[in-house]
mmCIF file of all heavy atoms in Angstrom:
data_model
loop_
_atom_site.group_PDB
_atom_site.id
_atom_site.type_symbol
_atom_site.label_atom_id
_atom_site.label_comp_id
_atom_site.label_asym_id
_atom_site.label_seq_id
_atom_site.Cartn_x
_atom_site.Cartn_y
_atom_site.Cartn_z
ATOM 1 N N ALA A 456 -9.156 43.897 14.967
ATOM 2 C CA ALA A 456 -8.777 43.179 13.746
ATOM 3 C C ALA A 456 -7.271 42.970 13.715
ATOM 4 O O ALA A 456 -6.537 43.863 13.297
ATOM 5 C CB ALA A 456 -9.240 43.961 12.522
ATOM 6 N N PRO A 457 -6.774 41.810 14.152
ATOM 7 C CA PRO A 457 -5.337 41.560 14.142
ATOM 8 C C PRO A 457 -4.893 40.984 12.797
ATOM 9 O O PRO A 457 -5.725 40.616 11.968
ATOM 10 C CB PRO A 457 -5.170 40.507 15.238
ATOM 11 C CG PRO A 457 -6.429 39.698 15.095
ATOM 12 C CD PRO A 457 -7.518 40.668 14.669
ATOM 13 N N ALA A 458 -3.595 40.881 12.594
ATOM 14 C CA ALA A 458 -3.056 40.217 11.402
ATOM 15 C C ALA A 458 -2.888 38.735 11.742
ATOM 16 O O ALA A 458 -1.868 38.321 12.266
ATOM 17 C CB ALA A 458 -1.732 40.839 10.995
ATOM 18 N N LEU A 459 -3.927 37.944 11.441
ATOM 19 C CA LEU A 459 -3.899 36.509 11.780
ATOM 20 C C LEU A 459 -3.550 35.633 10.590
ATOM 21 O O LEU A 459 -3.491 34.421 10.723
ATOM 22 C CB LEU A 459 -5.258 36.077 12.335
ATOM 23 C CG LEU A 459 -5.569 36.513 13.769
ATOM 24 C CD1 LEU A 459 -7.000 36.154 14.129
ATOM 25 C CD2 LEU A 459 -4.609 35.875 14.752
ATOM 26 N N ASP A 460 -3.311 36.248 9.420
ATOM 27 C CA ASP A 460 -3.069 35.415 8.254
ATOM 28 C C ASP A 460 -1.592 35.082 8.058
ATOM 29 O O ASP A 460 -1.281 34.127 7.369
ATOM 30 C CB ASP A 460 -3.596 36.097 6.992
ATOM 31 C CG ASP A 460 -3.588 35.154 5.806
ATOM 32 O OD1 ASP A 460 -4.083 34.016 5.960
ATOM 33 O OD2 ASP A 460 -3.053 35.519 4.749
ATOM 34 N N ASP A 461 -0.700 35.839 8.647
ATOM 35 C CA ASP A 461 0.721 35.501 8.567
ATOM 36 C C ASP A 461 1.427 36.138 9.760
ATOM 37 O O ASP A 461 2.114 37.156 9.635
ATOM 38 C CB ASP A 461 1.344 35.981 7.257
ATOM 39 C CG ASP A 461 2.741 35.376 7.035
ATOM 40 O OD1 ASP A 461 3.146 34.520 7.844
ATOM 41 O OD2 ASP A 461 3.399 35.763 6.064
ATOM 42 N N ARG A 462 1.279 35.526 10.894
ATOM 43 C CA ARG A 462 1.817 36.060 12.147
ATOM 44 C C ARG A 462 3.118 35.344 12.477
ATOM 45 O O ARG A 462 3.195 34.124 12.435
ATOM 46 C CB ARG A 462 0.799 35.853 13.270
ATOM 47 C CG ARG A 462 1.294 36.169 14.656
ATOM 48 C CD ARG A 462 1.620 37.634 14.852
ATOM 49 N NE ARG A 462 0.475 38.510 14.687
ATOM 50 C CZ ARG A 462 0.501 39.827 14.914
ATOM 51 N NH1 ARG A 462 1.625 40.404 15.298
ATOM 52 N NH2 ARG A 462 -0.587 40.555 14.735
ATOM 53 N N ARG A 463 4.145 36.088 12.790
ATOM 54 C CA ARG A 463 5.431 35.534 13.207
ATOM 55 C C ARG A 463 5.631 35.789 14.689
ATOM 56 O O ARG A 463 5.367 36.887 15.179
ATOM 57 C CB ARG A 463 6.578 36.143 12.396
ATOM 58 C CG ARG A 463 6.501 35.804 10.921
ATOM 59 C CD ARG A 463 7.617 36.475 10.120
ATOM 60 N NE ARG A 463 7.459 36.194 8.690
ATOM 61 C CZ ARG A 463 7.972 35.148 8.070
ATOM 62 N NH1 ARG A 463 8.697 34.257 8.754
ATOM 63 N NH2 ARG A 463 7.774 34.952 6.772
ATOM 64 N N VAL A 464 6.099 34.760 15.387
ATOM 65 C CA VAL A 464 6.364 34.858 16.819
ATOM 66 C C VAL A 464 7.850 34.579 17.032
ATOM 67 O O VAL A 464 8.348 33.524 16.621
ATOM 68 C CB VAL A 464 5.507 33.861 17.628
ATOM 69 C CG1 VAL A 464 5.735 34.043 19.117
ATOM 70 C CG2 VAL A 464 4.027 34.030 17.282
ATOM 71 N N ALA A 465 8.536 35.501 17.638
ATOM 72 C CA ALA A 465 9.974 35.364 17.821
ATOM 73 C C ALA A 465 10.300 34.259 18.814
ATOM 74 O O ALA A 465 9.471 33.885 19.665
ATOM 75 C CB ALA A 465 10.575 36.692 18.302
ATOM 76 N N ALA A 466 11.501 33.740 18.712
ATOM 77 C CA ALA A 466 11.963 32.691 19.631
ATOM 78 C C ALA A 466 11.855 33.172 21.066
ATOM 79 O O ALA A 466 12.217 34.314 21.391
ATOM 80 C CB ALA A 466 13.398 32.311 19.298
ATOM 81 N N GLY A 467 11.328 32.315 21.922
ATOM 82 C CA GLY A 467 11.218 32.625 23.340
ATOM 83 C C GLY A 467 10.063 33.536 23.706
ATOM 84 O O GLY A 467 9.845 33.826 24.890
ATOM 85 N N ARG A 468 9.285 33.970 22.708
ATOM 86 C CA ARG A 468 8.172 34.877 22.979
ATOM 87 C C ARG A 468 6.837 34.146 22.889
ATOM 88 O O ARG A 468 6.714 33.091 22.270
ATOM 89 C CB ARG A 468 8.174 36.040 21.978
ATOM 90 C CG ARG A 468 9.470 36.844 21.933
ATOM 91 C CD ARG A 468 9.725 37.561 23.247
ATOM 92 N NE ARG A 468 8.709 38.553 23.515
ATOM 93 C CZ ARG A 468 8.745 39.806 23.073
ATOM 94 N NH1 ARG A 468 9.770 40.216 22.313
ATOM 95 N NH2 ARG A 468 7.780 40.657 23.374
ATOM 96 N N THR A 469 5.832 34.747 23.498
ATOM 97 C CA THR A 469 4.461 34.252 23.414
ATOM 98 C C THR A 469 3.572 35.378 22.898
ATOM 99 O O THR A 469 3.656 36.520 23.378
ATOM 100 C CB THR A 469 3.952 33.774 24.779
ATOM 101 O OG1 THR A 469 4.776 32.699 25.242
ATOM 102 C CG2 THR A 469 2.511 33.282 24.686
ATOM 103 N N TRP A 470 2.745 35.066 21.912
ATOM 104 C CA TRP A 470 1.837 36.060 21.331
ATOM 105 C C TRP A 470 0.404 35.647 21.636
ATOM 106 O O TRP A 470 0.037 34.472 21.495
ATOM 107 C CB TRP A 470 2.039 36.139 19.823
ATOM 108 C CG TRP A 470 1.214 37.195 19.134
ATOM 109 C CD1 TRP A 470 1.555 38.504 18.939
ATOM 110 C CD2 TRP A 470 -0.090 37.032 18.570
ATOM 111 N NE1 TRP A 470 0.554 39.171 18.280
ATOM 112 C CE2 TRP A 470 -0.478 38.289 18.037
ATOM 113 C CE3 TRP A 470 -0.971 35.952 18.463
ATOM 114 C CZ2 TRP A 470 -1.701 38.499 17.404
ATOM 115 C CZ3 TRP A 470 -2.198 36.156 17.837
ATOM 116 C CH2 TRP A 470 -2.555 37.404 17.310
ATOM 117 N N THR A 471 -0.410 36.616 22.061
ATOM 118 C CA THR A 471 -1.795 36.294 22.400
ATOM 119 C C THR A 471 -2.742 37.282 21.738
ATOM 120 O O THR A 471 -2.378 38.426 21.436
ATOM 121 C CB THR A 471 -2.028 36.340 23.921
ATOM 122 O OG1 THR A 471 -1.741 37.653 24.406
ATOM 123 C CG2 THR A 471 -1.147 35.321 24.638
ATOM 124 N N TYR A 472 -3.954 36.796 21.526
ATOM 125 C CA TYR A 472 -5.020 37.633 20.992
ATOM 126 C C TYR A 472 -6.315 37.272 21.709
ATOM 127 O O TYR A 472 -6.630 36.094 21.905
ATOM 128 C CB TYR A 472 -5.200 37.411 19.493
ATOM 129 C CG TYR A 472 -6.462 38.022 18.927
ATOM 130 C CD1 TYR A 472 -6.522 39.388 18.659
ATOM 131 C CD2 TYR A 472 -7.596 37.249 18.687
ATOM 132 C CE1 TYR A 472 -7.690 39.970 18.149
ATOM 133 C CE2 TYR A 472 -8.756 37.806 18.171
ATOM 134 C CZ TYR A 472 -8.797 39.175 17.909
ATOM 135 O OH TYR A 472 -9.947 39.745 17.419
ATOM 136 N N GLU A 473 -7.081 38.295 22.079
ATOM 137 C CA GLU A 473 -8.425 38.112 22.616
ATOM 138 C C GLU A 473 -9.340 39.074 21.898
ATOM 139 O O GLU A 473 -9.072 40.286 21.871
ATOM 140 C CB GLU A 473 -8.455 38.374 24.128
ATOM 141 C CG GLU A 473 -7.682 37.361 24.946
ATOM 142 C CD GLU A 473 -7.846 37.590 26.450
ATOM 143 O OE1 GLU A 473 -8.716 38.402 26.823
ATOM 144 O OE2 GLU A 473 -7.123 36.949 27.223
ATOM 145 N N GLY A 474 -10.389 38.549 21.306
ATOM 146 C CA GLY A 474 -11.283 39.411 20.558
ATOM 147 C C GLY A 474 -12.617 38.743 20.304
ATOM 148 O O GLY A 474 -12.966 37.724 20.925
#
Side-chain angles (χ1 to χ4, degrees):
L459 285 174
D460 190 49
D461 192 6
R462 171 65 62 175
R463 296 177 184 271
V464 184
R468 304 295 296 273
T469 299
W470 184 88
T471 60
Y472 168 79
E473 293 185 11

